[in-house]
Protein backbone atom coordinates (compact mmCIF):
# COMPACT_ATOMS: atom_id res chain seq x y z
CA UNK A 1 0.00 0.00 0.00
CA UNK A 2 1.45 3.25 -1.05
CA UNK A 3 2.16 5.70 1.76
CA UNK A 4 0.61 9.11 1.24
CA UNK A 5 3.13 11.71 0.28
CA UNK A 6 3.87 14.10 3.07
CA UNK A 7 4.00 17.77 2.33
CA UNK A 8 7.55 19.09 2.52
CA UNK A 9 8.21 21.15 5.60
CA UNK A 10 8.84 24.79 4.95
CA UNK A 11 12.27 25.98 5.94
CA UNK A 12 12.61 29.12 7.91
CA UNK A 13 13.48 32.07 5.72
CA UNK A 14 17.24 32.67 5.64
CA UNK A 15 16.71 36.20 6.86
CA UNK A 16 14.83 34.98 9.90
CA UNK A 17 17.49 32.40 10.72
CA UNK A 18 20.22 34.95 10.30
CA UNK A 19 18.35 37.47 12.38
CA UNK A 20 17.97 35.05 15.25
CA UNK A 21 21.61 34.07 15.04
CA UNK A 22 22.70 37.67 14.91
CA UNK A 23 20.63 38.52 17.95
CA UNK A 24 22.14 35.67 19.91
CA UNK A 25 25.70 36.49 18.89
CA UNK A 26 25.28 40.21 19.42
CA UNK A 27 24.24 39.84 23.03
CA UNK A 28 27.44 38.15 24.10
CA UNK A 29 29.82 40.81 22.76
CA UNK A 30 27.73 43.57 24.33
CA UNK A 31 27.96 41.88 27.72
CA UNK A 32 31.66 41.19 27.27
CA UNK A 33 32.36 44.78 26.26
CA UNK A 34 30.59 45.98 29.41
CA UNK A 35 32.69 43.66 31.57
CA UNK A 36 35.88 44.83 29.86
CA UNK A 37 35.01 48.49 30.33
CA UNK A 38 34.14 47.91 33.98
CA UNK A 39 37.42 46.04 34.42
CA UNK A 40 39.38 48.97 32.98
CA UNK A 41 37.49 51.37 35.23
CA UNK A 42 38.34 49.09 38.16
CA UNK A 43 42.05 49.17 37.26
CA UNK A 44 41.94 52.95 36.96
CA UNK A 45 40.15 53.26 40.31
CA UNK A 46 42.77 50.99 41.90
CA UNK A 47 45.57 53.17 40.52
CA UNK A 48 43.88 56.29 41.86
CA UNK A 49 43.65 54.59 45.26
CA UNK A 50 47.35 53.66 45.12
CA UNK A 51 48.26 57.23 44.21
CA UNK A 52 46.09 58.57 47.00
CA UNK A 53 47.73 56.26 49.53
CA UNK A 54 51.37 56.63 48.46
CA UNK A 55 51.30 60.39 47.80
CA UNK A 56 48.00 61.77 49.11
CA UNK A 57 48.94 65.43 49.27
CA UNK A 58 50.50 65.56 45.80
CA UNK A 59 48.44 63.05 43.80
CA UNK A 60 44.98 64.15 44.90
CA UNK A 61 45.75 67.85 44.47
CA UNK A 62 43.58 69.53 41.87
CA UNK A 63 46.61 70.83 40.00
CA UNK A 64 48.05 67.31 39.70
CA UNK A 65 44.78 65.82 38.47
CA UNK A 66 44.58 68.60 35.88
CA UNK A 67 48.16 67.78 34.86
CA UNK A 68 47.35 64.07 34.45
CA UNK A 69 44.35 64.84 32.23
CA UNK A 70 46.33 67.36 30.20
CA UNK A 71 49.19 64.93 29.61
CA UNK A 72 46.71 62.22 28.65
CA UNK A 73 45.01 64.54 26.17
CA UNK A 74 47.87 64.77 23.67
CA UNK A 75 48.58 61.04 23.40
CA UNK A 76 44.85 60.40 23.74
CA UNK A 77 44.06 62.23 20.50
CA UNK A 78 46.76 60.21 18.72
CA UNK A 79 45.30 57.01 20.19
CA UNK A 80 41.84 57.77 18.80
CA UNK A 81 43.29 57.83 15.29
CA UNK A 82 45.38 54.74 15.99
CA UNK A 83 42.27 52.87 17.15
CA UNK A 84 40.64 53.33 13.75
CA UNK A 85 43.76 52.13 11.94
CA UNK A 86 44.18 49.03 14.11
CA UNK A 87 40.47 48.22 13.88
CA UNK A 88 40.89 48.10 10.10
CA UNK A 89 43.71 45.58 10.44
CA UNK A 90 46.49 48.12 9.87
CA UNK A 91 49.18 49.75 11.99
CA UNK A 92 50.80 53.18 12.08
CA UNK A 93 54.32 53.36 13.46
CA UNK A 94 54.82 56.93 12.29
CA UNK A 95 52.41 58.81 14.57
CA UNK A 96 55.14 60.08 16.91
CA UNK A 97 57.30 61.26 14.02
CA UNK A 98 54.31 62.96 12.37
CA UNK A 99 53.61 64.83 15.62
CA UNK A 100 57.25 65.94 15.75
CA UNK A 101 57.30 67.10 12.12
CA UNK A 102 53.99 68.92 12.42
CA UNK A 103 55.07 70.65 15.63
CA UNK A 104 58.38 71.95 14.27
CA UNK A 105 56.93 72.97 10.92
CA UNK A 106 54.18 74.89 12.68
CA UNK A 107 56.64 76.73 14.95
CA UNK A 108 59.06 78.05 12.35
CA UNK A 109 59.52 81.82 12.28
CA UNK A 110 57.77 82.05 8.90
CA UNK A 111 54.73 80.15 10.17
CA UNK A 112 54.46 82.12 13.42
CA UNK A 113 54.13 85.31 11.43
CA UNK A 114 50.60 84.16 10.54
CA UNK A 115 49.68 83.90 14.21
CA UNK A 116 47.31 81.42 15.84
CA UNK A 117 45.57 80.39 12.62
CA UNK A 118 48.85 79.85 10.81
CA UNK A 119 50.23 77.55 13.50
CA UNK A 120 47.01 75.54 13.80
CA UNK A 121 46.55 75.22 10.03
CA UNK A 122 50.17 74.20 9.44
CA UNK A 123 50.14 71.56 12.18
CA UNK A 124 46.93 70.01 10.85
CA UNK A 125 47.87 70.14 7.17
CA UNK A 126 51.29 68.59 7.79
CA UNK A 127 49.70 65.76 9.76
CA UNK A 128 47.10 65.17 7.04
CA UNK A 129 49.79 65.31 4.35
CA UNK A 130 51.86 62.64 6.08
CA UNK A 131 48.73 60.53 6.52
CA UNK A 132 47.98 60.95 2.82
CA UNK A 133 51.42 59.60 1.89
CA UNK A 134 50.95 56.63 4.21
CA UNK A 135 47.50 55.94 2.83
CA UNK A 136 48.59 56.11 -0.81
CA UNK A 137 51.56 53.80 -0.22
CA UNK A 138 49.46 51.26 1.67
CA UNK A 139 46.15 51.40 -0.21
CA UNK A 140 47.32 51.96 -3.78
CA UNK A 141 51.03 51.12 -3.59
CA UNK A 142 50.12 47.84 -1.87
CA UNK A 143 52.90 48.26 0.68
CA UNK A 144 52.69 46.48 4.01
CA UNK A 145 51.52 49.03 6.65
CA UNK A 146 54.44 48.13 8.91
CA UNK A 147 57.00 48.97 6.21
CA UNK A 148 55.26 52.05 4.84
CA UNK A 149 54.75 53.69 8.23
CA UNK A 150 58.25 52.69 9.35
CA UNK A 151 59.61 54.54 6.32
CA UNK A 152 57.46 57.55 7.24
CA UNK A 153 58.78 57.38 10.80
CA UNK A 154 62.38 57.65 9.60
CA UNK A 155 61.63 60.30 6.98
CA UNK A 156 59.51 62.54 9.22
CA UNK A 157 62.05 62.37 12.06
CA UNK A 158 64.85 63.23 9.67
CA UNK A 159 62.95 66.16 8.16
CA UNK A 160 62.03 67.45 11.62
CA UNK A 161 65.70 67.35 12.61
CA UNK A 162 66.69 69.16 9.43
CA UNK A 163 64.13 71.93 10.00
CA UNK A 164 65.20 72.59 13.59
CA UNK A 165 68.88 71.77 13.18
CA UNK A 166 68.60 70.19 16.62
CA UNK A 167 67.42 73.37 18.33
CA UNK A 168 64.20 74.24 20.14
CA UNK A 169 61.81 76.59 18.34
CA UNK A 170 60.15 78.80 20.94
CA UNK A 171 56.59 79.99 20.29
CA UNK A 172 56.09 83.74 20.56
CA UNK A 173 52.40 83.92 19.60
CA UNK A 174 50.61 84.94 22.78
CA UNK A 175 47.19 83.66 21.73
CA UNK A 176 48.64 80.15 21.42
CA UNK A 177 50.44 80.29 24.75
CA UNK A 178 47.33 81.64 26.47
CA UNK A 179 45.52 78.34 25.83
CA UNK A 180 47.88 76.69 28.28
CA UNK A 181 47.40 79.32 30.99
CA UNK A 182 45.11 78.72 33.94
CA UNK A 183 43.03 81.75 32.98
CA UNK A 184 41.85 79.76 29.93
CA UNK A 185 40.46 76.90 32.03
CA UNK A 186 36.71 76.33 31.67
CA UNK A 187 35.17 75.40 35.04
CA UNK A 188 38.57 74.15 36.12
CA UNK A 189 39.05 72.05 32.98
CA UNK A 190 42.08 72.81 30.77
CA UNK A 191 41.27 73.62 27.12
CA UNK A 192 43.42 70.71 25.92
CA UNK A 193 41.24 68.30 27.89
CA UNK A 194 38.16 69.78 26.24
CA UNK A 195 39.74 69.25 22.82
CA UNK A 196 40.51 65.65 23.78
CA UNK A 197 36.94 65.18 24.92
CA UNK A 198 35.58 66.55 21.65
CA UNK A 199 37.84 64.28 19.58
CA UNK A 200 36.81 61.29 21.70
CA UNK A 201 33.09 61.97 21.22
CA UNK A 202 33.48 62.49 17.48
CA UNK A 203 35.61 59.36 17.21
CA UNK A 204 33.07 57.29 19.13
CA UNK A 205 30.20 58.50 16.96
CA UNK A 206 32.22 57.91 13.80
CA UNK A 207 33.12 54.34 14.74
CA UNK A 208 29.81 53.27 16.26
CA UNK A 209 27.11 55.29 14.55
CA UNK A 210 28.18 55.78 10.94
CA UNK A 211 28.67 53.76 7.77
CA UNK A 212 32.34 54.76 7.87
CA UNK A 213 32.74 52.96 11.19
CA UNK A 214 30.95 49.83 9.97
CA UNK A 215 33.14 49.74 6.88
CA UNK A 216 36.24 50.09 9.05
CA UNK A 217 35.23 47.09 11.14
CA UNK A 218 34.31 45.11 8.03
CA UNK A 219 37.68 45.76 6.37
CA UNK A 220 39.49 44.73 9.53
CA UNK A 221 37.41 41.59 9.96
CA UNK A 222 37.75 40.31 6.39
CA UNK A 223 39.00 42.63 3.66
CA UNK A 224 38.07 40.28 0.82
CA UNK A 225 34.53 39.79 2.11
CA UNK A 226 34.23 43.57 2.50
CA UNK A 227 35.35 44.03 -1.11
CA UNK A 228 32.80 41.50 -2.34
CA UNK A 229 30.14 43.34 -0.33
CA UNK A 230 30.80 46.47 -2.36
CA UNK A 231 33.17 48.33 -0.04
CA UNK A 232 36.05 50.15 -1.72
CA UNK A 233 38.72 48.72 0.58
CA UNK A 234 41.58 50.78 -0.82
CA UNK A 235 39.72 54.06 -0.49
CA UNK A 236 38.63 53.14 3.05
CA UNK A 237 42.22 52.47 4.06
CA UNK A 238 43.30 55.77 2.54
CA UNK A 239 40.66 57.60 4.58
CA UNK A 240 41.79 55.84 7.77
CA UNK A 241 45.41 56.93 7.42
CA UNK A 242 44.23 60.43 6.60
CA UNK A 243 42.26 60.33 9.84
CA UNK A 244 45.33 59.17 11.75
CA UNK A 245 47.34 62.01 10.24
CA UNK A 246 44.62 64.50 11.17
CA UNK A 247 44.71 63.33 14.79
CA UNK A 248 48.50 63.68 14.79
CA UNK A 249 48.22 67.23 13.49
CA UNK A 250 45.74 68.14 16.23
CA UNK A 251 47.98 66.49 18.83
CA UNK A 252 50.97 68.45 17.51
CA UNK A 253 49.12 71.73 18.02
CA UNK A 254 48.14 70.64 21.54
CA UNK A 255 51.77 69.78 22.29
CA UNK A 256 52.85 73.21 21.04
CA UNK A 257 50.38 74.80 23.48
CA UNK A 258 51.54 72.55 26.31
CA UNK A 259 55.30 72.96 25.78
CA UNK A 260 55.33 76.43 24.22
CA UNK A 261 57.81 75.22 21.62
CA UNK A 262 58.48 72.80 18.79
CA UNK A 263 61.22 70.17 18.95
CA UNK A 264 62.31 67.34 16.70
CA UNK A 265 62.12 65.02 19.73
CA UNK A 266 58.40 65.66 20.26
CA UNK A 267 56.16 62.62 20.14
CA UNK A 268 58.95 60.23 21.07
CA UNK A 269 57.54 56.68 21.43
CA UNK A 270 53.98 57.94 20.94
CA UNK A 271 53.42 55.08 18.51
CA UNK A 272 54.13 52.49 21.20
CA UNK A 273 52.00 54.24 23.81
CA UNK A 274 49.08 54.64 21.39
CA UNK A 275 49.20 51.01 20.24
CA UNK A 276 49.48 49.77 23.83
CA UNK A 277 46.58 51.93 25.01
CA UNK A 278 44.37 50.71 22.18
CA UNK A 279 45.24 47.07 22.86
CA UNK A 280 44.59 47.12 26.59
CA UNK A 281 41.37 48.98 25.83
CA UNK A 282 40.08 46.02 23.84
CA UNK A 283 40.94 46.84 20.22
CA UNK A 284 42.10 43.69 18.42
CA UNK A 285 45.58 44.00 16.94
CA UNK A 286 44.45 41.67 14.14
CA UNK A 287 41.57 44.03 13.27
CA UNK A 288 37.82 43.66 13.15
CA UNK A 289 37.00 45.12 16.55
CA UNK A 290 37.76 48.44 18.20
CA UNK A 291 36.58 50.60 21.06
CA UNK A 292 37.21 54.30 21.52
CA UNK A 293 36.13 54.29 25.18
CA UNK A 294 38.48 51.42 25.94
CA UNK A 295 41.37 53.18 24.23
CA UNK A 296 40.74 56.36 26.24
CA UNK A 297 40.71 54.35 29.47
CA UNK A 298 43.96 52.73 28.39
CA UNK A 299 45.53 56.16 27.92
CA UNK A 300 44.34 57.28 31.35
CA UNK A 301 45.72 54.12 32.96
CA UNK A 302 49.17 54.59 31.43
CA UNK A 303 49.25 58.31 32.24
CA UNK A 304 48.22 57.65 35.84
CA UNK A 305 50.93 55.02 36.23
CA UNK A 306 53.54 57.47 34.94
CA UNK A 307 52.32 60.15 37.33
CA UNK A 308 52.34 57.82 40.36
CA UNK A 309 55.87 56.65 39.59
CA UNK A 310 57.07 60.25 39.19
CA UNK A 311 55.52 61.38 42.48
CA UNK A 312 57.10 58.47 44.32
CA UNK A 313 60.51 58.99 42.68
CA UNK A 314 60.56 55.44 41.29
CA UNK A 315 62.85 54.41 38.47
CA UNK A 316 61.66 54.70 34.90
CA UNK A 317 62.78 51.12 34.26
CA UNK A 318 60.28 49.80 36.80
CA UNK A 319 57.57 51.91 35.19
CA UNK A 320 58.30 50.40 31.78
CA UNK A 321 58.21 46.89 33.26
CA UNK A 322 54.80 47.61 34.77
CA UNK A 323 53.49 48.88 31.43
CA UNK A 324 54.87 45.83 29.66
CA UNK A 325 53.16 43.51 32.13
CA UNK A 326 49.84 45.28 31.57
CA UNK A 327 50.17 44.93 27.79
CA UNK A 328 50.95 41.20 28.05
CA UNK A 329 47.99 40.67 30.37
CA UNK A 330 45.68 42.53 27.98
CA UNK A 331 46.79 40.45 24.99
CA UNK A 332 46.30 37.21 26.94
CA UNK A 333 42.78 38.31 27.88
CA UNK A 334 42.07 39.05 24.21
CA UNK A 335 43.30 35.60 23.15
CA UNK A 336 41.16 33.95 25.79
CA UNK A 337 38.14 35.99 24.67
CA UNK A 338 38.64 35.01 21.02
CA UNK A 339 39.11 31.36 21.98
CA UNK A 340 35.86 31.50 23.88
CA UNK A 341 34.08 32.75 20.74
CA UNK A 342 35.27 29.76 18.75
Amino acid sequence: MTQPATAPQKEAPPSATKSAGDQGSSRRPVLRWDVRTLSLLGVLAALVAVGGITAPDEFLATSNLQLVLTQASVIGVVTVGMTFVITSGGIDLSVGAMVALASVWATTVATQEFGFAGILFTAVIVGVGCGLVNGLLIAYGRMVPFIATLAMLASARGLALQITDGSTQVVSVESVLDLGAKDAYVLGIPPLVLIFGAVTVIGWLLLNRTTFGRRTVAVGGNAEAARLAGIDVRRQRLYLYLLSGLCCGIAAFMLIVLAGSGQNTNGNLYELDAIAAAIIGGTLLSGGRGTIIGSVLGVLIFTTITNIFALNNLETAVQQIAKGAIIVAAVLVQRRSLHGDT
Side-chain angles (χ1 to χ4, degrees):
M1 186 174 179
T2 305
Q3 296 291 334
T6 58
Q9 295 181 352
K10 293 184 178 180
E11 295 182 357
S15 59
T17 304
K18 182 178 180 181
S19 176
D22 287 349
Q23 289 176 2
S25 62
S26 64
R27 287 172 185 167
R28 290 183 299 170
V30 170
L31 178 60
R32 187 169 63 248
W33 281 113
D34 290 344
V35 171
R36 182 181 293 113
T37 302
L38 290 175
S39 299
L40 291 172
L41 288 172
V43 172
L44 184 59
L47 289 174
V48 172
V50 170
I53 293 173
T54 57
D57 295 335
E58 297 86 357
F59 181 80
L60 297 178
T62 301
S63 58
N64 184 66
L65 296 178
Q66 291 172 334
L67 175 63
V68 170
L69 291 176
T70 301
Q71 292 176 338
S73 297
V74 180
I75 185 62
V77 171
V78 175
T79 303
V80 170
M82 181 70 78
T83 300
F84 278 89
V85 171
I86 296 178
T87 301
S88 71
I91 199 73
D92 193 346
L93 301 179
S94 63
V95 291
M98 289 193 292
V99 169
L101 179 58
S103 68
V104 300
W105 206 323
T107 54
T108 59
V109 175
T111 303
Q112 292 193 50
E113 290 180 355
F114 293 94
F116 184 97
I119 293 176
L120 175 59
F121 176 79
T122 302
V124 170
I125 203 66
V126 170
V128 172
C130 291
L132 175 62
V133 174
N134 281 337
L136 290 175
L137 290 176
I138 294 167
Y140 295 95
R142 299 185 183 278
M143 289 186 66
V144 177
F146 182 91
I147 300 301
T149 57
L150 184 62
M152 176 58 72
L153 183 156
S155 301
R157 282 288 178 194
L159 185 54
L161 178 61
Q162 186 176 24
I163 292 175
T164 62
D165 196 22
S167 61
T168 300
Q169 298 179 164
V170 179
V171 176
S172 58
V173 180
E174 293 296 332
S175 56
V176 173
L177 299 176
D178 289 343
L179 278 180
K182 288 190 175 182
D183 293 340
Y185 287 13
V186 179
L187 300 177
I189 303 176
L192 299 187
V193 178
L194 296 176
I195 296 174
F196 176 37
V199 172
T200 299
V201 171
I202 294 172
W204 186 89
L205 291 173
L206 194 61
L207 183 60
N208 296 281
R209 294 291 185 268
T210 66
T211 303
F212 181 86
R214 289 191 291 272
R215 288 175 178 172
T216 300
V217 174
V219 170
N222 190 323
E224 180 61 19
R227 185 187 68 81
L228 294 175
I231 298 175
D232 191 331
V233 175
R234 291 187 299 178
R235 185 172 60 186
Q236 184 69 17
R237 284 175 174 161
L238 173 61
Y239 289 162
L240 289 167
Y241 282 95
L242 281 172
L243 178 61
S244 179
L246 173 63
C247 289
C248 288
I250 295 173
F253 177 77
M254 296 169 67
L255 195 57
I256 291 171
V257 173
L258 184 62
S261 63
Q263 305 177 49
N264 65 286
T265 55
N266 283 343
N268 188 32
L269 297 181
Y270 271 19
E271 54 277 359
L272 300 183
D273 289 341
I275 293 171
I279 291 175
I280 72 169
T283 299
L284 289 183
L285 193 56
S286 57
R289 188 173 70 193
T291 164
I292 298 296
I293 299 301
S295 296
V296 169
L297 291 175
V299 170
L300 292 175
I301 287 173
F302 277 151
T303 308
T304 304
I305 290 175
T306 301
N307 184 258
I308 291 174
F309 274 68
L311 292 178
N312 289 277
N313 297 319
L314 298 177
E315 296 181 1
T316 305
V318 181
Q319 172 186 329
Q320 299 300 329
I321 293 173
K323 288 184 177 181
I326 292 175
I327 295 171
V328 171
V331 173
L332 291 177
V333 169
Q334 282 191 359
R335 288 175 60 86
R336 181 180 178 184
S337 174
L338 289 176
H339 181 72
D341 289 344
T342 57

